[in-house]
Amino acid sequence: AQTVTQSQPEMSVQEAETVTLSCTYDTSESDYYLFWYKQPPSRQMILVIRQEAYKQQNATENRFSVNFQKAAKSFSLKISDSQLGDAAMYFCAYRPLGSEKLVFGKGTKLTVNP
Amino acid sequence: GAVVSQHPSWVICKSGTSVKIECRSLDFQATTMFWYRQFPKQSLMLMATSNEGSKATYEQGVEKDKFLINHASLTLSTLTVTSAHPEDSSFYICSARAPGLLTDTQYFGPGTRLTVL
């Protein structure tokens, strides 16, 4: 079964600093998608970044970037210049090509300290 | 673009009554919608996949007679919790996926908090 593991239940970072959230996954598929979603206190799930497994280049969205290591099945999220508004639960998710289902990790709660 | 709404945002009901939650895609047509349940401080658990014009596909362990899903149009899916009990109290989230709009991405609604007394 495909699983997604987020080994850090909680993380904290100082405002303006950089933080990296870890995610590993287990799959036998070669083609799939990976996502990071943010869930702030409002509970609205927001797509942060997505990565196609066939692309070697790491995805980047402004202050958010990923380190995708396909062989290691690792998909970490780096948040640069952290802002107070980045405080939220962050969920890593996996979806194999040909399936509509997202498999979520258990989440990492990020606290940003002023 | 890709906005998904849910209504109501929160609802309190008495045990034994039924509650309907609506999920709408506002600016795109969603051929597939998904319903999740989230307990406090936990991840999202997929309940069912809803395809327009066909029966929903339920995940293992989800009672299809208790959680009725209808996807009558390309912009609306509904989840009805029938004969609700306190253990059904939870946060319910829908998401939608659209062809031609980053088809590999699900866009989420803001969720509905259900409290059953």
Side-chain angles (χ1 to χ4, degrees):
Chain A
Q2 294 136 351
T3 58
V4 176
T5 302
Q6 294 180 249
S7 59
Q8 307 151 317
E10 297 187 20
M11 291 282 285
S12 63
V13 63
Q14 291 295 126
E15 196 175 2
E17 297 292 309
T18 296
V19 65
T20 299
L21 308 184
S22 301
C23 173
T24 58
Y25 56 95
D26 184 22
T27 183
S28 58
E29 305 287 334
S30 58
D31 291 325
Y32 47 87
Y33 301 97
L34 295 164
F35 306 85
W36 278 98
Y37 281 93
K38 168 185 177 181
Q39 188 180 42
S42 67
R43 306 291 291 274
Q44 169 77 62
M45 294 285 283
I46 302 167
L47 176 65
V48 175
I49 201 165
R50 57 190 280 272
Q51 173 85 41
E52 294 93 340
Y54 65 85
K55 290 185 177 179
Q56 293 186 343
Q57 186 174 6
N58 290 323
T60 298
E61 288 288 343
N62 301 315
R63 298 182 295 106
F64 299 87
S65 61
V66 298
N67 183 3
F68 174 48
Q69 301 290 329
K70 190 172 184 179
K73 297 179 183 177
S74 171
F75 183 60
S76 60
L77 175 69
K78 185 172 82 171
I79 306 174
S80 303
D81 186 26
S82 297
Q83 301 176 359
L84 295 178
D86 295 334
M89 282 290 290
Y90 285 81
F91 292 97
C92 178
Y94 160 93
R95 176 179 163 263
L97 191 69
S99 171
E100 296 181 314
K101 299 180 184 179
L102 280 173
V103 178
F104 284 93
K106 292 188 175 183
T108 296
K109 182 180 180 181
L110 178 66
T111 301
V112 181
N113 299 310
Chain B
V3 178
V4 177
S5 71
Q6 276 184 248
H7 178 80
S9 56
W10 60 271
V11 57
I12 302 173
C13 69
K14 293 182 179 180
S15 185
T17 61
S18 294
V19 174
K20 180 183 285 187
I21 302 170
E22 293 185 349
C23 177
R24 293 182 184 273
S25 55
L26 298 184
D27 51 2
F28 66 100
Q29 293 184 327
T31 53
T32 306
M33 289 184 170
F34 306 85
W35 286 96
Y36 295 85
R37 186 172 180 176
Q38 186 179 31
F39 290 104
K41 298 184 180 181
Q42 293 192 24
S43 189
L44 281 71
M45 180 190 78
L46 179 65
M47 299 175 65
T49 302
S50 167
N51 291 292
E52 187 266 338
S54 63
K55 291 184 178 180
T57 302
Y58 291 82
E59 294 300 299
Q60 192 173 7
V62 177
E63 298 177 61
K64 61 180 180 181
D65 294 330
K66 182 168 188 60
F67 299 99
L68 300 179
I69 292 172
N70 184 281
H71 193 161
S73 77
L74 286 172
T75 59
L76 174 64
S77 177
T78 60
L79 167 68
T80 301
V81 183
T82 63
S83 187
H85 292 283
E87 57 265 30
D88 299 324
S89 298
S90 189
F91 194 69
Y92 293 88
I93 306 175
C94 73
S95 70
R97 184 178 166 220
L101 184 72
L102 286 179
T103 56
D104 53 345
T105 300
Q106 290 184 24
Y107 295 91
F108 287 81
T112 297
R113 182 178 303 281
L114 170 63
T115 301
V116 184
L117 302 178

